[in-house]
Amino acid sequence: MKVAIIGAGTVGKSIAEGIKNDFSVSLSSGSFEKLKKWNNERFQIFDNNVDNAKNAEVILLTIKPGISDSVMEEIQAASRNKLVISFMAGVTLNHMQERLKESHIARAMPSIPMLVQKSVTAYSYKNLDNKEIELMKKILAGFGSYVKVEESNMDAVTGLSGSGPAFVAIMADSMINAGILAGIPRQQATDLVIDTFINTMQLMRERGISASDLRDEVMTPGGTTVTGIYEMEKANVRTAIANAVLGSYRKAQEIGRKN
């Protein structure tokens, strides 16, 4: 089956790499010369979006929300009766349906670990049959796991798991720098922090432990952990992290309103 990816930035390229063994992939983007240089004859590429859309049975929109209307208007005829999956923040299913009147519409929000096929991707859809739903799941599985959410929660998902890796990276960077300050070599501090994050999340998932219960298990009265947590509470770290997620959520809503 042929899948056309319109927009060859980080998301589009990552999807192409993730699904190339199961689908025939083609790409188009705003800069054909850059696309050609990156592609190095691995995928079929087009110098315009219309031909790319015409060539495929499924169309993935991995473009910036600000140009979504012009691109959807451009490919409207070519996308008729085809599955179109949007990876754009803030662009609603209803808005897409208004522009792509005869297409079958879905939207998805991946996360940056899709670069190594480890995304967690939330999806919702409007008018898909069972065959199209299974096809969409197969595409999403090419670059990680997926979860169905109500579309009303998609902007919140954008703030939580879409933007979340950047917040995790800031926490990791802070811990690495603290380790270096305490005398640990940079690479060793980096390895320790990466494994701490990964292994802690695995423990929560495999044992079904809540974040608060895990915190309590690590703390002992008068110990090192409770002292560190006291410093975090003094600095309002939890409030800052929650505000970061909510700020991203509100920005996604703002993008939707502008569109």
Side-chain angles (χ1 to χ4, degrees), residues 160-225:
L160 188 62
S161 59
S163 300
F167 310 147
V168 172
I170 288 174
M171 288 185 280
D173 189 47
S174 300
M175 292 173 66
I176 290 166
N177 288 336
I180 295 168
L181 186 62
I184 302 172
R186 175 176 290 276
Q187 188 56 57
Q188 198 168 50
T190 299
D191 293 340
L192 285 165
V193 169
I194 289 172
D195 284 342
T196 296
F197 272 76
I198 291 172
N199 296 341
T200 301
M201 295 304 103
Q202 283 185 320
L203 173 61
M204 287 178 62
R205 169 163 284 172
E206 292 178 16
R207 294 282 184 89
I209 301 174
S210 71
S212 58
D213 285 344
L214 178 55
R215 176 204 61 203
D216 291 344
E217 283 199 27
V218 180
M219 286 195 305
T220 55
T224 60
T225 304

Side-chain angles (χ1 to χ4, degrees), residues 6 49-50 53 59 61 70-80 84 99-100 103:
I6 296 178
N49 296 327
V50 175
I59 301 167
L61 297 178
S70 60
V71 171
M72 287 190 287
E73 182 179 347
E74 183 184 15
I75 67 167
Q76 183 181 44
S79 64
R80 188 173 293 128
V84 180
R99 300 302 187 276
L100 303 173
S103 301

Side-chain angles (χ1 to χ4, degrees), residues 100-120:
L100 303 173
K101 300 184 186 303
E102 297 179 57
S103 301
H104 303 171
I105 303 298
R107 60 183 291 203
M109 176 49 60
S111 58
I112 196 64
M114 68 189 306
L115 289 169
V116 289
Q117 287 77 57
K118 294 292 185 181
S119 173
V120 54

